[in-house]
Amino acid sequence: MESLSSFFAMGGYAGYVWPSYGLAFVLMVAVLVTSARGVKTAERELEQMQSLRPGRRRRAQQAASVTEVPET
Amino acid sequence: MTRKRRRLYFVVLGLLAVGTAAALVLSALRQDIVFFFSPSEIVEAKVPTEGRRIRLGGLVEQGSVVKDGASVKFRVTDGAHVVPVVYAGLLPDLFREGQGVVTEGKLGKDGVFQAAEVLAKHDENYMPKEVADSLKKSGHWQDEKKVDKP
Amino acid sequence: MHRFANPARFLRLSALIQPWAAAIAVACLAGGLYFALFASPADYQQGETVRIMYIHVPSAWMGLFCYTAMAVFSAMALIWKHPLADLMARASAPVGAAFTFICLVTGALWGKPMWGTWWVWDARLTSMLILLFLYLGYMALADAFDDPERGQKAAAILALVGVVNVPIIKWSVDWWNTLHQPASVVKMGGPSIDSTMMVPLILMAVGFKAYWVLVLILRTRAEIAAAKVRTLRMAQIHAAGQVEQA
């Protein structure tokens, strides 16, 4: 128990060491979560648009693929 | 020349131009970007010190730290010259003899540097205490650490 | 070059890489944290505060790495009109900005107890702050125009101009005297960090890189989907216009 509290004390520098790790953790999780959410919403929206117009799906895909071909 | 090739040259030339401009500006501002002056520069009067607030950087000379009531006296060295410093205030945890230090203040007429702020500067070596001790014991310890070039 | 320009190929490749990047990131960060906090010694001078290094230094490397990647992608977009390069440059920016911010804040948290100050305007610290502003400027500029292509072009030019700052940051501690100490790992004559401290440093650095790969894939996927939605919308509006005319 004593070793645990001395671990958290960080030789008296707890107020500097732990906030460093805390900030890195919070920011990295935040960026990861927002990125994962962004993929989900963007890909869902794309799917909806494509399924709403099944008849025109091929044409739409062709239209979409126009941007994919690099113009030189 | 294709358009691609032209854009490539354009980007490369642009980068070269920006790089040259940055190098010119930085070398012109050299004296202003420097964070501190060495004892040699101050003793040899290479920098204007009169009445100006400047920073002095170097190593705290071994055995020079004297606590005098609320104030502390020590000497800053770069191997060639030494400047005595007086300071009244809180010293950083890393302040110790033989370690780097940067102090900000004014040079008195008597040649004593009146420091208003003392910052510790540490070197690029990281090791556990046991390794440092065994290095010292075996005589491989470099006592004369590299002094910052002026 | 254009073999990798195809978004469909990117999506196939990223589906393969993504789980591996996630696994490597989790494994390296877990191992890195174990060594950083438990299984590595305190420094002979700096005591326990040296543990801040295992966040601070890899974050600084990521700040420089992400910016360099962003500049390379921007150059590819400007020169070869590589359709994915713009999206990947955009995707890299928030990660780099986050790591640069982490680097600056952990540096302040480390500087206060050791140097005796949160912040000084020396060459290293100032150039690192400029890097954060370059990231913020890039992200703002990329979204500033109604026409995403124009914003992207302006942002790409900013990214390329700002890349001069990268070598300045790296060598600032050698070119000028600074409060910040010189490099410890990437320097002539080998690193001056004890191997027990090198282990957590390298593990965290690899973990951060894998994390970047993962986030880059996620964000690029989102950008690809958003671009497709945009073109579909344009096609819809176009089709509606034709119907009205007829």
Side-chain angles (χ1 to χ4, degrees), chain A residues 7 10-11 13 15-21 23-24 27-28 31-32 34-36 38-39 42-43 45-46 49-50 53 56 59-60 63-64 67-68 70-72, chain C residues 2 7 33 36-38 48-49 51-52 54-55 83 98-99 101-102 105-106 109 112-114 118 208 211 214-215 218-219 221-222 225 228-229 231-233 236:
Chain A
F7 168 70
M10 279 289 159
Y13 294 117
Y16 302 103
V17 174
W18 295 115
S20 300
Y21 282 80
L23 173 78
L27 267 188
M28 285 174 73
V31 169
L32 186 65
T34 50
S35 306
V39 173
E43 286 183 351
E45 194 181 1
L46 178 64
M49 282 202 85
Q50 283 172 341
R53 318 156 62 221
R56 291 180 180 171
R59 251 182 65 190
T67 50
E68 294 163 11
E71 95 179 90
T72 40
Chain C
H2 287 306
L33 277 178
L37 292 170
F38 300 96
E48 303 286 348
T49 57
R51 304 193 192 283
I52 297 175
Y54 308 127
I55 299 289
F99 278 118
F101 184 73
I102 292 170
V105 174
T106 56
L109 286 166
K112 185 59 186 167
M114 289 298 105
W118 300 104
F208 281 10
Y211 169 88
L214 177 62
V215 174
L218 289 175
R219 298 193 82 92
R221 270 174 54 192
K228 278 187 187 163
V229 167
T231 30
L232 279 176
R233 285 235 170 86
Q236 249 176 2

Side-chain angles (χ1 to χ4, degrees), chain B residues 108-120:
Chain B
K109 290 244 177 351
D110 51 356
V112 177
F113 194 83
Q114 307 282 337
E117 190 179 21
V118 172
L119 304 177

Side-chain angles (χ1 to χ4, degrees), chain C residues 186-221:
Chain C
V186 188
K187 64 169 207 171
M188 306 267 279
S192 56
I193 294 185
D194 193 76
S195 56
T196 49
M197 300 173 170
M198 210 57 168
V199 172
L201 195 56
I202 297 301
L203 278 175
M204 295 298 275
V206 174
F208 281 10
K209 289 277 179 332
Y211 169 88
W212 172 78
V213 172
L214 177 62
V215 174
L216 187 76
I217 287 175
L218 289 175
R219 298 193 82 92
T220 309
R221 270 174 54 192

